[in-house]
Amino acid sequence: MDSQTSQSSQASQSPHTFQVDLRGLVDLLSHHLYSSPKVYLRELLQNAVDAITARRAEQPDAPARVRLYAEGGTLRVEDSGVGLTEADVHNLLATIGRSSKRADPGDIQEARSEFLGQFGIGLLACFVVAERIRVVSRSARTPDAPPVEWTAADDGSYTVRTLPDDARPEPGTTVHLVARPGAGEWLTEARVLALARDFGSLLPYDVRVGDEAVTDLPAPWNRPYPSPATRRVALQRHCHDLFGFSPLDSIDLDVPLAGIRGVAYVLPSSVSPAQRASHRVHLKGMLLTERAEQLLPDWAFFVRCVLDTDSLRPTASRESLYEDETLAAVREALGERIRSWLTGLAAGDPERLATFLSVHHLGVKSLARHDKEMLRTMLPWLPFETTDGQLSLEEFAQRHPVVHFTRSVEEYRQVAPIASAQGVGVVNGGYTYDSELIEALPSVRPGTVVAELDADTVTAHLDAVDPAEELALSAFLGAARAKLDPLGCDVVLRAFHPLSVPALHLDDRAARHEQARAEAEEQADDLWAGILGSLRGSAPRARLVLNHLNPLIRRISSLDDPELIGTATESLYGQALLMAQRPLRPADSALLNRAFIGLLEWATHSDPTEDGRR
């Protein structure tokens, strides 16, 4: 070696310092950018895979191997990639934020489609678990360049030196990690193997931890199977291993234009639509995240999916997806695949569809309210609660010329028994999405009449009492009306079935709105009372419908004592409210308590001739 080369080698061994506080950077990576120290292994695999990809772009027959060896708190990662020269080391490994992938400014899209890494953090992420990193590399692009060694410590210092040719005869890179205190568990062989399989099972190259294979290709959804049944069983096993449940079914997610291939698994039990579904996303074979929440439309909360893509853009931490136009287009395309699966079940496998809807009808209703074609397809299958039992809207509309519905479960419970006895069909629209779907029915079933059921409609279907009989009871009705008038409730007399129902409480949204306005007016100051008073409308008030056919009502209507009539009327009003399962206002609770005490006093009142009182 001549003196000039010796001086160059000595100069290259002189220490250099990062232009950042590396301890602060490591704290930033571990506490703010990455969710767990385990990502260090993903960074190592990512660099190795990108290096092999870069070499194979120039040498298609180049070997494609990644080997990991863990022992005694150290880890060694070897790859047969493109390698680095001494100049590359200075330019890339020592510069925060510079990408280690060479691409012309005009070839950014090409670089993104070929390489996993885009952010240049590179090996520095390994300082999350390591106190020292040593890299030995030899360039495939410059075969006559000697191997180069880059050694860095977590205090921010590093050295670079060239090595003899026999230090690394073949192109590629070897990374050595020494665990930092307290982080040795992350560098054990068992943990490294588990992480490597989790992150790299779909990588396109030969990756091993010791002698244990990491990659498992082709992916389960891409493998050939002897029969559809065999494939279904294999995917069920894959889902159970991955997500911990056996799916009702699996849906292929194949979107070639977006570079997406994968599978969605249908959950075997219902979940809340508000629960954010988490999906596993691989980016060019490398696991990007197992908690991707924005991958599918919100209505598809009944599936969990796993897929591989080369088009979606990761965030800086490479642990979630960047929300952009590409992700929006992919979300729509995947939603279309799930929609097509539902349509296919409706057309060719009604038994599987019925099984699915028994668990996940809410998700399908969510989709159908925005998609007329889906509503038309699912119309014969979606279940609704009706006075005729659990029926589809299609079957209910065939039975009834007018599809009456209520907007709340409470309203339905008020009128369902009475309406059914009078031959009026009612659909409970109080559950999530149901009223929207009922109102959309005419758009997919022309000629269907849909009407919201209100108190007037129900009352109109009840039989009127003979005018002479009602006139004879005018004193009783007057006393009853006077008692309930402060509560904003009228009293009417009708004859209806079933006979066992003594009284029915009816109101609608307009009546409840007027009632709430009146209560607010009572509690407001003069200014607001005047404003609320000016808003008083002509909306009908709530009404207590007394059943003239009921024996109890007949006995009560024969009473002469106005005070006892009032107590009985309050009791009937409270009982009707409870039967309707309506929330009780403070005034209603006070009324129930007063009526109960009044009835007890009346029932236990002693004969005045017996004790001399009164």
Side-chain angles (χ1 to χ4, degrees), residues 120-343:
I121 297 297
L123 289 172
L124 295 183
C126 295
F127 279 121
V128 172
V129 298
E131 67 176 1
R132 189 168 72 255
I133 301 174
R134 175 171 170 259
V135 177
V136 177
S137 186
R138 183 163 194 160
S139 175
R141 289 194 178 108
T142 314
D144 56 346
V148 59
E149 177 191 71
W150 177 83
T151 304
D154 61 0
D155 62 0
S157 64
Y158 74 93
T159 60
V160 178
R161 63 170 182 160
T162 57
L163 301 176
D165 286 347
D166 58 1
R168 183 172 182 98
E170 299 295 328
T173 300
T174 301
V175 179
H176 303 261
L177 301 185
V178 177
R180 62 190 309 121
E185 190 269 340
W186 290 103
L187 271 61
T188 62
E189 184 175 22
R191 176 57 69 91
V192 169
L193 178 59
L195 293 178
R197 283 178 171 166
D198 195 37
F199 284 120
S201 62
L202 300 184
L203 290 174
Y205 305 132
D206 179 17
V207 182
R208 296 176 181 272
V209 176
D211 296 327
E212 296 287 336
V214 168
T215 51
D216 186 20
L217 295 176
W221 53 84
N222 282 333
R223 295 172 189 169
Y225 295 96
S227 67
T230 306
R231 184 176 191 271
R232 187 177 299 115
V233 170
L235 290 180
Q236 286 180 340
R237 187 184 305 113
H238 176 249
C239 176
H240 190 274
D241 293 342
L242 207 59
F243 294 114
F245 65 86
S246 296
L248 284 179
D249 206 348
S250 58
I251 308 168
D252 285 325
L253 301 178
D254 188 6
V255 188
L257 291 179
I260 286 177
R261 186 80 171 92
V263 63
Y265 293 115
V266 182
L267 291 167
S269 57
S270 60
V271 293
S272 168
Q275 179 178 333
R276 300 294 295 179
S278 296
H279 311 287
R280 289 177 64 93
V281 178
H282 295 255
L283 181 61
K284 292 179 276 294
M286 181 74 73
L287 178 66
L288 178 70
T289 179
E290 53 190 359
R291 296 187 301 273
E293 295 182 347
Q294 69 275 45
L295 186 65
L296 296 181
D298 290 340
W299 56 260
F301 56 83
F302 51 84
V303 299
R304 298 290 181 271
C305 70
V306 53
L307 55 83
D308 188 24
T309 176
D310 60 14
S311 63
L312 297 179
R313 178 183 171 191
T315 58
S317 66
R318 291 193 285 280
E319 293 186 293
S320 59
L321 297 171
Y322 189 84
E323 185 69 47
D324 57 11
E325 293 181 358
T326 301
L327 179 57
V330 166
R331 184 185 301 121
E332 180 64 28
L334 295 179
E336 183 58 38
R337 292 297 183 274
I338 298 174
R339 183 186 288 109
S340 298
W341 170 78
L342 285 170
T343 305

Side-chain angles (χ1 to χ4, degrees), residues 64 89 181 190 196 215 221 223 240 249 260-261 267 294 298 301 356-357 359 409 413 489 491 519 533 567 603 607 610:
V89 168
T215 51
W221 53 84
R223 295 172 189 169
H240 190 274
D249 206 348
I260 286 177
R261 186 80 171 92
L267 291 167
Q294 69 275 45
D298 290 340
F301 56 83
F356 166 75
L357 288 178
V359 179
V409 175
R413 288 169 177 165
C489 182
V491 178
E519 291 177 354
T567 300
D607 191 319
E610 293 181 3

Side-chain angles (χ1 to χ4, degrees), residues 494-518:
R494 292 290 187 273
F496 56 86
H497 293 273
L499 300 179
S500 59
V501 178
L504 176 66
H505 181 269
L506 294 176
D507 64 358
D508 50 29
R509 286 184 300 163
R512 289 195 294 275
H513 177 76
E514 174 62 20
Q515 190 177 64
R517 186 209 59 77

